[in-house]
PDB file of all heavy atoms in Angstrom:
ATOM      1  N   GLN A 325     -12.988  -1.440  40.534  1.00 87.00           N
ATOM      2  CA  GLN A 325     -11.827  -1.347  39.654  1.00 87.00           C
ATOM      3  C   GLN A 325     -10.810  -0.357  40.190  1.00 87.00           C
ATOM      4  O   GLN A 325      -9.591  -0.584  40.136  1.00 87.00           O
ATOM      5  CB  GLN A 325     -12.262  -0.923  38.244  1.00 87.00           C
ATOM      6  CG  GLN A 325     -13.068  -1.956  37.495  1.00 87.00           C
ATOM      7  CD  GLN A 325     -12.248  -3.188  37.149  1.00 87.00           C
ATOM      8  OE1 GLN A 325     -12.362  -4.223  37.807  1.00 87.00           O
ATOM      9  NE2 GLN A 325     -11.408  -3.076  36.148  1.00 87.00           N
ATOM     10  N   THR A 326     -11.313   0.750  40.743  1.00 81.00           N
ATOM     11  CA  THR A 326     -10.420   1.757  41.318  1.00 81.00           C
ATOM     12  C   THR A 326      -9.698   1.212  42.538  1.00 81.00           C
ATOM     13  O   THR A 326      -8.495   1.463  42.741  1.00 81.00           O
ATOM     14  CB  THR A 326     -11.226   3.018  41.700  1.00 81.00           C
ATOM     15  OG1 THR A 326     -11.877   3.522  40.536  1.00 81.00           O
ATOM     16  CG2 THR A 326     -10.322   4.094  42.274  1.00 81.00           C
ATOM     17  N   LEU A 327     -10.417   0.436  43.370  1.00 78.00           N
ATOM     18  CA  LEU A 327      -9.792  -0.150  44.556  1.00 78.00           C
ATOM     19  C   LEU A 327      -8.715  -1.157  44.185  1.00 78.00           C
ATOM     20  O   LEU A 327      -7.649  -1.219  44.799  1.00 78.00           O
ATOM     21  CB  LEU A 327     -10.860  -0.832  45.423  1.00 78.00           C
ATOM     22  CG  LEU A 327     -11.799   0.083  46.215  1.00 78.00           C
ATOM     23  CD1 LEU A 327     -12.863  -0.746  46.909  1.00 78.00           C
ATOM     24  CD2 LEU A 327     -11.005   0.894  47.246  1.00 78.00           C
ATOM     25  N   VAL A 328      -8.997  -1.962  43.159  1.00 72.00           N
ATOM     26  CA  VAL A 328      -8.060  -3.017  42.763  1.00 72.00           C
ATOM     27  C   VAL A 328      -6.831  -2.447  42.074  1.00 72.00           C
ATOM     28  O   VAL A 328      -5.695  -2.811  42.372  1.00 72.00           O
ATOM     29  CB  VAL A 328      -8.771  -4.042  41.840  1.00 72.00           C
ATOM     30  CG1 VAL A 328      -7.763  -5.038  41.269  1.00 72.00           C
ATOM     31  CG2 VAL A 328      -9.870  -4.772  42.603  1.00 72.00           C
ATOM     32  N   HIS A 329      -7.063  -1.527  41.141  1.00 67.00           N
ATOM     33  CA  HIS A 329      -5.966  -1.031  40.317  1.00 67.00           C
ATOM     34  C   HIS A 329      -5.431   0.323  40.763  1.00 67.00           C
ATOM     35  O   HIS A 329      -4.379   0.756  40.283  1.00 67.00           O
ATOM     36  CB  HIS A 329      -6.414  -0.933  38.854  1.00 67.00           C
ATOM     37  CG  HIS A 329      -6.849  -2.245  38.272  1.00 67.00           C
ATOM     38  ND1 HIS A 329      -5.967  -3.272  38.008  1.00 67.00           N
ATOM     39  CD2 HIS A 329      -8.084  -2.703  37.929  1.00 67.00           C
ATOM     40  CE1 HIS A 329      -6.634  -4.308  37.504  1.00 67.00           C
ATOM     41  NE2 HIS A 329      -7.920  -3.990  37.457  1.00 67.00           N
ATOM     42  N   GLY A 330      -6.173   0.993  41.662  1.00 62.00           N
ATOM     43  CA  GLY A 330      -5.754   2.318  42.080  1.00 62.00           C
ATOM     44  C   GLY A 330      -5.981   3.329  40.971  1.00 62.00           C
ATOM     45  O   GLY A 330      -6.463   3.017  39.891  1.00 62.00           O
ATOM     46  N   ASN A 331      -5.639   4.560  41.222  1.00 63.00           N
ATOM     47  CA  ASN A 331      -5.755   5.609  40.212  1.00 63.00           C
ATOM     48  C   ASN A 331      -4.490   5.634  39.367  1.00 63.00           C
ATOM     49  O   ASN A 331      -3.518   6.320  39.691  1.00 63.00           O
ATOM     50  CB  ASN A 331      -5.982   6.974  40.884  1.00 63.00           C
ATOM     51  CG  ASN A 331      -7.343   7.070  41.535  1.00 63.00           C
ATOM     52  OD1 ASN A 331      -8.327   6.624  40.974  1.00 63.00           O
ATOM     53  ND2 ASN A 331      -7.392   7.649  42.727  1.00 63.00           N
ATOM     54  N   GLU A 332      -4.493   4.828  38.318  1.00 63.00           N
ATOM     55  CA  GLU A 332      -3.313   4.747  37.466  1.00 63.00           C
ATOM     56  C   GLU A 332      -3.100   6.089  36.771  1.00 63.00           C
ATOM     57  O   GLU A 332      -3.978   6.598  36.086  1.00 63.00           O
ATOM     58  CB  GLU A 332      -3.485   3.623  36.443  1.00 63.00           C
ATOM     59  CG  GLU A 332      -3.639   2.242  37.088  1.00 63.00           C
ATOM     60  CD  GLU A 332      -3.771   1.141  36.048  1.00 63.00           C
ATOM     61  OE1 GLU A 332      -3.534   1.422  34.862  1.00 63.00           O
ATOM     62  OE2 GLU A 332      -4.098   0.008  36.436  1.00 63.00           O
ATOM     63  N   SER A 333      -1.909   6.631  36.956  1.00 72.00           N
ATOM     64  CA  SER A 333      -1.631   7.977  36.455  1.00 72.00           C
ATOM     65  C   SER A 333      -1.660   8.050  34.941  1.00 72.00           C
ATOM     66  O   SER A 333      -1.885   9.118  34.380  1.00 72.00           O
ATOM     67  CB  SER A 333      -0.266   8.453  36.967  1.00 72.00           C
ATOM     68  OG  SER A 333       0.758   7.562  36.524  1.00 72.00           O
ATOM     69  N   ASN A 334      -1.438   6.918  34.278  1.00 89.00           N
ATOM     70  CA  ASN A 334      -1.382   6.958  32.817  1.00 89.00           C
ATOM     71  C   ASN A 334      -2.634   6.363  32.171  1.00 89.00           C
ATOM     72  O   ASN A 334      -2.582   5.870  31.060  1.00 89.00           O
ATOM     73  CB  ASN A 334      -0.129   6.224  32.313  1.00 89.00           C
ATOM     74  CG  ASN A 334       0.417   6.862  31.048  1.00 89.00           C
ATOM     75  OD1 ASN A 334       0.108   8.008  30.729  1.00 89.00           O
ATOM     76  ND2 ASN A 334       1.210   6.114  30.302  1.00 89.00           N
ATOM     77  N   GLU A 335      -3.746   6.386  32.919  1.00 94.00           N
ATOM     78  CA  GLU A 335      -5.023   5.925  32.367  1.00 94.00           C
ATOM     79  C   GLU A 335      -6.047   7.039  32.450  1.00 94.00           C
ATOM     80  O   GLU A 335      -6.281   7.608  33.519  1.00 94.00           O
ATOM     81  CB  GLU A 335      -5.535   4.695  33.109  1.00 94.00           C
ATOM     82  CG  GLU A 335      -6.909   4.222  32.598  1.00 94.00           C
ATOM     83  CD  GLU A 335      -7.352   2.905  33.200  1.00 94.00           C
ATOM     84  OE1 GLU A 335      -6.535   1.959  33.192  1.00 94.00           O
ATOM     85  OE2 GLU A 335      -8.493   2.833  33.699  1.00 94.00           O
ATOM     86  N   ALA A 336      -6.642   7.376  31.325  1.00 95.00           N
ATOM     87  CA  ALA A 336      -7.697   8.391  31.274  1.00 95.00           C
ATOM     88  C   ALA A 336      -9.054   7.707  31.458  1.00 95.00           C
ATOM     89  O   ALA A 336      -9.334   6.697  30.807  1.00 95.00           O
ATOM     90  CB  ALA A 336      -7.654   9.131  29.945  1.00 95.00           C
ATOM     91  N   LEU A 337      -9.866   8.255  32.342  1.00 96.00           N
ATOM     92  CA  LEU A 337     -11.223   7.747  32.550  1.00 96.00           C
ATOM     93  C   LEU A 337     -12.206   8.735  31.924  1.00 96.00           C
ATOM     94  O   LEU A 337     -12.311   9.888  32.351  1.00 96.00           O
ATOM     95  CB  LEU A 337     -11.520   7.587  34.046  1.00 96.00           C
ATOM     96  CG  LEU A 337     -12.954   7.158  34.397  1.00 96.00           C
ATOM     97  CD1 LEU A 337     -13.288   5.801  33.781  1.00 96.00           C
ATOM     98  CD2 LEU A 337     -13.158   7.131  35.913  1.00 96.00           C
ATOM     99  N   ILE A 338     -12.911   8.270  30.899  1.00 98.00           N
ATOM    100  CA  ILE A 338     -13.864   9.098  30.162  1.00 98.00           C
ATOM    101  C   ILE A 338     -15.274   8.577  30.426  1.00 98.00           C
ATOM    102  O   ILE A 338     -15.562   7.405  30.188  1.00 98.00           O
ATOM    103  CB  ILE A 338     -13.583   9.069  28.644  1.00 98.00           C
ATOM    104  CG1 ILE A 338     -12.130   9.450  28.349  1.00 98.00           C
ATOM    105  CG2 ILE A 338     -14.570   9.971  27.911  1.00 98.00           C
ATOM    106  CD1 ILE A 338     -11.752  10.850  28.740  1.00 98.00           C
ATOM    107  N   ILE A 339     -16.157   9.448  30.906  1.00 98.00           N
ATOM    108  CA  ILE A 339     -17.561   9.090  31.099  1.00 98.00           C
ATOM    109  C   ILE A 339     -18.342   9.756  29.962  1.00 98.00           C
ATOM    110  O   ILE A 339     -18.471  10.983  29.913  1.00 98.00           O
ATOM    111  CB  ILE A 339     -18.102   9.567  32.455  1.00 98.00           C
ATOM    112  CG1 ILE A 339     -17.147   9.170  33.594  1.00 98.00           C
ATOM    113  CG2 ILE A 339     -19.501   9.014  32.685  1.00 98.00           C
ATOM    114  CD1 ILE A 339     -17.012   7.686  33.807  1.00 98.00           C
ATOM    115  N   ASN A 340     -18.831   8.941  29.047  1.00 98.00           N
ATOM    116  CA  ASN A 340     -19.525   9.449  27.867  1.00 98.00           C
ATOM    117  C   ASN A 340     -21.022   9.162  28.009  1.00 98.00           C
ATOM    118  O   ASN A 340     -21.453   8.014  27.976  1.00 98.00           O
ATOM    119  CB  ASN A 340     -18.978   8.779  26.601  1.00 98.00           C
ATOM    120  CG  ASN A 340     -19.615   9.331  25.341  1.00 98.00           C
ATOM    121  OD1 ASN A 340     -19.507  10.507  25.034  1.00 98.00           O
ATOM    122  ND2 ASN A 340     -20.308   8.466  24.600  1.00 98.00           N
ATOM    123  N   CYS A 341     -21.815  10.224  28.172  1.00 98.00           N
ATOM    124  CA  CYS A 341     -23.252  10.075  28.415  1.00 98.00           C
ATOM    125  C   CYS A 341     -24.022  10.623  27.219  1.00 98.00           C
ATOM    126  O   CYS A 341     -24.091  11.842  27.029  1.00 98.00           O
ATOM    127  CB  CYS A 341     -23.661  10.830  29.676  1.00 98.00           C
ATOM    128  SG  CYS A 341     -22.691  10.391  31.139  1.00 98.00           S
ATOM    129  N   HIS A 342     -24.598   9.731  26.445  1.00 98.00           N
ATOM    130  CA  HIS A 342     -25.304  10.143  25.239  1.00 98.00           C
ATOM    131  C   HIS A 342     -26.776   9.758  25.340  1.00 98.00           C
ATOM    132  O   HIS A 342     -27.159   8.605  25.130  1.00 98.00           O
ATOM    133  CB  HIS A 342     -24.666   9.498  24.006  1.00 98.00           C
ATOM    134  CG  HIS A 342     -25.308   9.918  22.713  1.00 98.00           C
ATOM    135  ND1 HIS A 342     -24.970  11.076  22.057  1.00 98.00           N
ATOM    136  CD2 HIS A 342     -26.298   9.353  21.979  1.00 98.00           C
ATOM    137  CE1 HIS A 342     -25.704  11.198  20.955  1.00 98.00           C
ATOM    138  NE2 HIS A 342     -26.521  10.165  20.896  1.00 98.00           N
ATOM    139  N   MET A 343     -27.599  10.724  25.747  1.00 97.00           N
ATOM    140  CA  MET A 343     -29.055  10.567  25.793  1.00 97.00           C
ATOM    141  C   MET A 343     -29.511   9.418  26.677  1.00 97.00           C
ATOM    142  O   MET A 343     -30.530   8.771  26.403  1.00 97.00           O
ATOM    143  CB  MET A 343     -29.632  10.420  24.379  1.00 97.00           C
ATOM    144  CG  MET A 343     -29.324  11.604  23.482  1.00 97.00           C
ATOM    145  SD  MET A 343     -30.263  11.610  21.947  1.00 97.00           S
ATOM    146  CE  MET A 343     -29.541  13.054  21.130  1.00 97.00           C
ATOM    147  N   MET A 344     -28.770   9.185  27.766  1.00 96.00           N
ATOM    148  CA  MET A 344     -29.142   8.106  28.679  1.00 96.00           C
ATOM    149  C   MET A 344     -29.457   8.593  30.086  1.00 96.00           C
ATOM    150  O   MET A 344     -30.233   7.966  30.801  1.00 96.00           O
ATOM    151  CB  MET A 344     -28.011   7.068  28.757  1.00 96.00           C
ATOM    152  CG  MET A 344     -28.026   6.055  27.634  1.00 96.00           C
ATOM    153  SD  MET A 344     -29.436   4.922  27.698  1.00 96.00           S
ATOM    154  CE  MET A 344     -28.951   3.843  29.030  1.00 96.00           C
ATOM    155  N   LEU A 345     -28.864   9.708  30.511  1.00 97.00           N
ATOM    156  CA  LEU A 345     -29.025  10.105  31.911  1.00 97.00           C
ATOM    157  C   LEU A 345     -30.455  10.525  32.235  1.00 97.00           C
ATOM    158  O   LEU A 345     -30.871  10.461  33.396  1.00 97.00           O
ATOM    159  CB  LEU A 345     -28.064  11.243  32.262  1.00 97.00           C
ATOM    160  CG  LEU A 345     -26.563  10.915  32.194  1.00 97.00           C
ATOM    161  CD1 LEU A 345     -25.764  11.969  32.938  1.00 97.00           C
ATOM    162  CD2 LEU A 345     -26.252   9.524  32.740  1.00 97.00           C
ATOM    163  N   HIS A 346     -31.233  10.937  31.217  1.00 97.00           N
ATOM    164  CA  HIS A 346     -32.606  11.343  31.535  1.00 97.00           C
ATOM    165  C   HIS A 346     -33.505  10.144  31.839  1.00 97.00           C
ATOM    166  O   HIS A 346     -34.664  10.329  32.228  1.00 97.00           O
ATOM    167  CB  HIS A 346     -33.204  12.201  30.412  1.00 97.00           C
ATOM    168  CG  HIS A 346     -33.544  11.462  29.158  1.00 97.00           C
ATOM    169  ND1 HIS A 346     -32.725  11.450  28.055  1.00 97.00           N
ATOM    170  CD2 HIS A 346     -34.634  10.732  28.812  1.00 97.00           C
ATOM    171  CE1 HIS A 346     -33.300  10.747  27.095  1.00 97.00           C
ATOM    172  NE2 HIS A 346     -34.459  10.296  27.519  1.00 97.00           N
TER     173      HIS A 346
END
Side-chain angles (χ1 to χ4, degrees):
Q325 292 293 102
T326 302
L327 286 175
V328 172
H329 300 290
N331 291 319
E332 298 182 11
S333 60
N334 213 19
E335 177 173 311
L337 176 61
I338 306 297
I339 311 295
N340 183 61
C341 306
H342 182 84
M343 301 192 184
M344 277 292 285
L345 296 196
H346 72 261

